């Protein structure tokens, strides 16, 4: 509900006017973090490259305008035990879709998603028995119109008492195109084959989007991007390879279905997201200290790539310290936040822990490479620093890589997945929560900063040198 959004007060964390909060005339939109895999029982693990969001707000979304899109709901992934028989038609080997065409079917589809994946973190109104009774009550009579079906879904979700689990109209759902990580309208998932080798499958395809129009199909395996073999790469890495300037072309090699032909397809990119990164080099202490200032407005499809560019350029310009400004950043893609945290952490250091009903959400997420920068970092936060921003801030803080400056953060540690229903509407469902490397539950608590005002850099260096990491694991 909109009353959960705290009005941003100016963060007085800077003694330099050039590091004061940026002012924007537009009202901040509620930002999301979410999953675009939408079939029943198709909750995609945010740790395997699927797109998962965190919603900070449950009243109508005010996302920036984008072209209207719908997504083809993915079918369950084919069993890895399936084998190809000689002469078998590729189309016949693809998973079949069961389309919920009726109003009752749309309601039942939403009911099933909650039944399979909802994590009750608040008022504990949800039980399997109560939820089953609700289904029987709802479907005991016919639902005459689609608007009535949508109204029933809204009331059904509201009964859970979770402010973040909500219904999305087709118009609201269509505005999420800027979270398309690929820029060509597909969502990739890492799926093990019969031998345990990880393959990349198209599970989530925007109807009439660039890839769909070019001939990419649901369930296709992606083999190469612009001639680069992508075997062994993560879904996030390959999504980044697919990105590029809007209207340019990318060539992807796919295998249709389980047993179908391999085809090379040229797709024209249509990236809706705008860069969320602003950066500049600051010269402090009479020009003797160079500080790379980076502001990250949200965690969208371009966040990691553009932040890497900013960090490299600032290093080349001589930055010896960095400021990462996460004030008023309400969140975005969970996976983008995780990948950005990795840019600052040593291999093996914990980024966050996730908890959920399903064992797949009981994970420890760790950095898997060397950091891009090792210089001291200040992270600016305020009471509108939320969700994925809190993942990044706590990961850098708890691993003694950064000090936090400003105000206590918002305190949203829940993970939502967004699922599309077969009529183009959608549901946002809380499916898990995350915990900081120091085992603190962010949700409802927020993160306290180390300093209220911007400290001297020698104090930052001293603070980090004396920082003690809690035992992790």
């Amino acid at each position: 509900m909109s009353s959960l959004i705290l009005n941003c007060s100016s963060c007085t964390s800077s003694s330099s006017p050039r590091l004061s909060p940026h002012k924007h005339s537009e009202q901040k939109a509620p930002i999301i973090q979410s999953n675009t895999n939408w079939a029943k029982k198709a909750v995609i693990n945010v740790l395997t490259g699927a797109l998962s969001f965190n919603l900070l707000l449950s009243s109508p979304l005010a996302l920036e305008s984008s072209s209207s899109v719908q997504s083809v709901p993915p079918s369950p992934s084919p069993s890895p035990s399936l084998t190809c028989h000689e002469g078998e038609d590729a189309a016949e080997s693809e998973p079949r879709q069961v389309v919920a065409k009726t109003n009752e079917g749309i309601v039942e589809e939403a009911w099933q998603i909650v039944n399979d994946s909802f994590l009750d973190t608040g008022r504990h109104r949800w039980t399997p028995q109560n939820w089953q009774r609700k289904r029987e009550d709802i479907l005991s009579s016919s639902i005459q119109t689609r608007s009535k079906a949508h109204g029933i879904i809204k009331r059904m979700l509201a009964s859970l008492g979770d402010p973040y689990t909500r219904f999305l109209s087709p118009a609201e759902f269509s505005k999420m195109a800027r979270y398309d990580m690929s820029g060509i309208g597909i969502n990739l998932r890492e799926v093990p084959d019969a031998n345990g080798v990880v393959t990349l499958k198209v599970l989530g395809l925007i109807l009439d989007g660039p890839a769909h129009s070019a001939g990419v199909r649901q369930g296709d395996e992606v083999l190469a991007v612009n001639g680069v073999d992508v075997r062994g790469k993560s879904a996030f890495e390959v999504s980044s390879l697919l990105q590029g300037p809007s209207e340019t072309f990318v060539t992807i090699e796919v295998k249709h279905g389980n047993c179908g032909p391999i085809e090379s397809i040229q797709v024209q990119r249509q990236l809706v997201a705008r860069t969320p990164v602003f950066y500049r080099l600051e010269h402090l202490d009479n020009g003797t200290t160079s500080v790379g200032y980076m502001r990250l407005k949200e965690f969208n499809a371009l966040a990691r790539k553009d932040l890497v560019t900013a960090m490299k350029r600032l290093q080349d310009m001589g930055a010896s310290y960095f400021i990462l400004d996460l004030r008023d950043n309400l969140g975005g893609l969970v996976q983008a936040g995780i990948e950005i945290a990795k840019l600052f952490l040593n291999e093996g250091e914990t980024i966050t822990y996730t908890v959920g009903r399903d064992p797949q959400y009981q994970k420890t997420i760790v950095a898997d490479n060397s950091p891009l920068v090792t210089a001291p970092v200040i992270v600016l936060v305020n009471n509108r620093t939320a969700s994925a921003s809190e993942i990044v801030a706590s990961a850098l803080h708890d691993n003694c890589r950064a000090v936090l400056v400003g105000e206590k953060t918002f305190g949203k540690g829940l993970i939502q997945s967004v699922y599309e229903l077969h009529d183009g509407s959608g549901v946002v469902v809380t499916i898990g929560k995350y915990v900081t490397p120091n085992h603190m539950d962010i949700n409802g608590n927020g993160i306290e900063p180390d300093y209220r005002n911007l400290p001297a850099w020698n104090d930052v260096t001293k603070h980090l040198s004396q920082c003690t990491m809690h035992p992790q694991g």
Side-chain angles (χ1 to χ4, degrees), residues 88-91 217 220 223 254-263:
E88 181 179 5
D89 182 71
R217 306 175 193 172
D220 281 357
L223 303 175
V254 300
K255 182 173 74 172
H256 295 300
N258 297 313
C259 316
I262 293 175
E263 183 180 2

Side-chain angles (χ1 to χ4, degrees), residues 2 96 140 200 239 263 271 284 302 305 331 364 379 383 400 443 462 464:
S2 56
R96 294 175 174 83
S140 60
L200 289 174
S239 292
E263 183 180 2
L271 196 60
L284 306 178
L302 296 178
K305 178 177 285 188
T364 301
V379 178
N383 58 9
C400 300
N443 196 58
K462 181 179 179 180
L464 294 176

Side-chain angles (χ1 to χ4, degrees), residues 104-122:
E104 291 82 4
I106 296 295
V107 173
E108 186 164 13
E109 190 180 13
W111 178 92
Q112 187 69 51
I113 289 169
V114 172
N115 189 64
D116 291 342
S117 57
F118 176 67
L119 177 67
D120 189 354
T121 61

